């Protein structure tokens, strides 16, 4: 089966590789060609344009920065190509409203559309253990199940297009909120001179503990965030998407606004491509 994969960044590269090791005939396209080249050595064909990739695949996976990038790539050359018999599998984190609009435009161009954003970062993308959330028609979910299972063992059909995208934003705002809350908590005990191990021992025995706290701790203690799993600049993008969706649904986003400000300052400090855990440096700057 021929699958095309557009966007071979931090997440896309290992995901495309999962398709190759799964026996698919894979064509990849990336705006910056060099980032796709390691995949050629592993058996992928590199397309010269997004249009060529879309024309080659029975389905095309998109794993790019945002909804605008997905739309630009789909309309390369000015308009949507003829998508008859083709499926767009949109896996980037984008607004639910953007996903709904893309689904409509893909349908008008004769194609099928599934949204399938993922939770997890580079290690999970590499081992195929992402949480894959799917929005779209049950028959499409069925048809592309084997492809989705290369990325995560149990893709979950959430509902129609838009529903998986909003679940993904709901989770990503939690990533930012948890990281900000944990950083303040940790900064508080460290500055007072409390033994961090004692604090963590108490936290781990309480219902307040989250496993992400332990994963991020070594980076925080070393104040080194260069081993990036999830770039701060992309978390900022997602917080803005979550805030805008929450506001339009009539929710109060005061708390999220504070988290957004912290992540924004992390990016302004030149740490946009570092892991989002770098927000610790805004809350507790090194002395
Ligand atoms: P990365 O490593 O920042 O990769 C982003 C990818 O998106 C990369 O392939 C970029 O190409 C591509 N991109 C970004 N903007 C565009 C435009 N305008 N046109 C075409 N291609 C573009 O991010 P991740 O892999 O961590 O994340 C991917 C998605 O998953 C994202 O939605 C996250 O929020 C979750 P480049 O190499 O820069 O030419």
């Amino acid at each position: 089966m021929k699958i095309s994969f557009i966007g071979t960044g931090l997440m896309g590269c290992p995901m495309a590789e999962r398709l190759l090791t799964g026996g698919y005939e894979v064509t990849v396209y990336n705006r910056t060609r060099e980032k796709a080249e390691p995949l050629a050595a592993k058996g992928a064909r590199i397309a010269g344009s997004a249009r060529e990739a879309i024309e080659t695949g029975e389905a095309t996976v998109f794993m790019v920065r945002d909804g605008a990038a997905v739309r630009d790539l789909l309309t390369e050359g000015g308009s949507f190509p003829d998508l008859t018999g083709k499926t767009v599998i949109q896996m980037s984190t984008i607004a639910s409203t953007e996903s709904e609009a893309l689904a409509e435009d893909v349908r008008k161009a004769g194609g099928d559309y599934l949204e399938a954003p993922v939770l997890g970062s580079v290690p999970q993308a590499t081992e195929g253990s992402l949480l894959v959330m799917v929005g779209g028609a049950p028959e499409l979910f069925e048809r592309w199940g084997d492809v989705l299972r290369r990325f995560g063992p149990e893709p979950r059909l959430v509902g129609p297009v838009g529903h998986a995208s909003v679940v993904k934003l709901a989770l990503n705002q939690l990533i930012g909120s948890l990281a900000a809350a944990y950083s303040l908590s940790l900064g508080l005990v460290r500055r007072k001179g409390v033994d961090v191990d004692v604090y963590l021992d108490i936290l781990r025995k309480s219902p307040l503990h989250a496993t992400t706290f332990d994963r991020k701790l070594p980076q925080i203690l070393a104040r080194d965030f260069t081993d990036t799993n999830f770039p701060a600049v992309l978390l900022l993008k997602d917080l803005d998407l979550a805030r805008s969706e929450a506001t339009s649904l009539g929710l109060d986003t005061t708390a999220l606004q504070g988290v957004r400000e912290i992540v924004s300052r992390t990016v302004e400090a030149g740490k946009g491509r570092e892991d989002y855990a770098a927000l610790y440096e805004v809350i507790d700057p090194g002395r």
Side-chain angles (χ1 to χ4, degrees), residues 138-169:
E139 53 277 20
L140 286 176
F141 175 68
E142 194 66 35
R143 191 190 310 162
W144 298 106
D146 286 344
V147 169
L148 297 172
R149 273 186 288 276
R150 289 303 299 162
F151 307 131
E154 289 177 36
R156 176 83 184 260
L157 182 62
V158 178
V161 171
H163 283 202
S165 293
V166 87
V167 168
K168 167 66 180 166
L169 291 180

Side-chain angles (χ1 to χ4, degrees), residues 4 46 68 118 146 154 219 239 268 278:
S4 291
I46 302 185
V118 297
D146 286 344
E154 289 177 36
Q219 283 178 298
L239 297 183
E268 280 162 20

Side-chain angles (χ1 to χ4, degrees), residues 40-248:
K42 292 170 177 151
R45 191 179 146 267
I46 302 185
S49 66
R51 181 61 55 101
E52 187 191 325
I54 294 163
E55 281 167 0
T56 308
E58 291 162 59
T60 300
V61 175
F62 286 79
M63 193 56 172
V64 292
R65 185 181 196 282
D66 55 19
V70 179
R71 182 165 285 278
D72 285 352
L73 289 157
L74 271 165
T75 57
E76 197 184 73
S79 59
F80 278 72
D82 178 9
L83 294 172
T84 306
K86 298 194 179 295
T87 302
V88 168
I89 304 179
Q90 196 308 104
M91 303 192 75
S92 329
T93 302
I94 71 174
S96 67
T97 45
E98 290 175 311
S99 191
E100 287 157 0
L102 281 168
E104 179 64 14
D105 289 336
V106 166
R107 195 189 54 74
K108 283 186 192 149
D112 291 317
Y113 180 94
L114 268 185
E115 60 178 11
V118 297
L119 190 71
S121 54
V122 178
Q124 293 76 30
T126 306
E127 64 190 29
S129 61
L130 293 164
L131 286 172
V132 183
M133 299 157 269
V134 185
E139 53 277 20
L140 286 176
F141 175 68
E142 194 66 35
R143 191 190 310 162
W144 298 106
D146 286 344
V147 169
L148 297 172
R149 273 186 288 276
R150 289 303 299 162
F151 307 131
E154 289 177 36
R156 176 83 184 260
L157 182 62
V158 178
V161 171
H163 283 202
S165 293
V166 87
V167 168
K168 167 66 180 166
L169 291 180
L171 292 168
N172 275 26
Q173 82 79 29
L174 203 49
I175 290 175
S177 298
L178 279 176
Y182 178 54
S183 295
L184 182 58
S185 195
L186 198 56
L188 205 52
V189 297
R190 290 179 84 196
R191 287 210 176 199
K192 193 69 182 174
V194 175
D195 183 338
V196 169
D197 288 335
V198 171
Y199 161 69
L200 289 172
D201 198 35
I202 295 166
L203 177 62
R204 286 190 195 108
K205 290 190 172 99
S206 83
L208 300 173
H209 185 248
T211 48
T212 181
F213 298 162
D214 286 331
R215 285 201 196 148
K216 295 300 176 190
L217 188 65
Q219 283 178 298
I220 291 174
L221 294 181
R223 292 191 184 274
D224 181 353
F225 307 95
T226 49
D227 184 10
T228 305
N229 278 328
F230 182 11
V233 70
L234 291 186
L235 178 61
L236 181 60
K237 176 223 16 152
D238 296 348
L239 297 183
D240 283 337
L241 291 174
R243 190 161 57 115
S244 144
E245 293 236 26
T247 302
S248 67

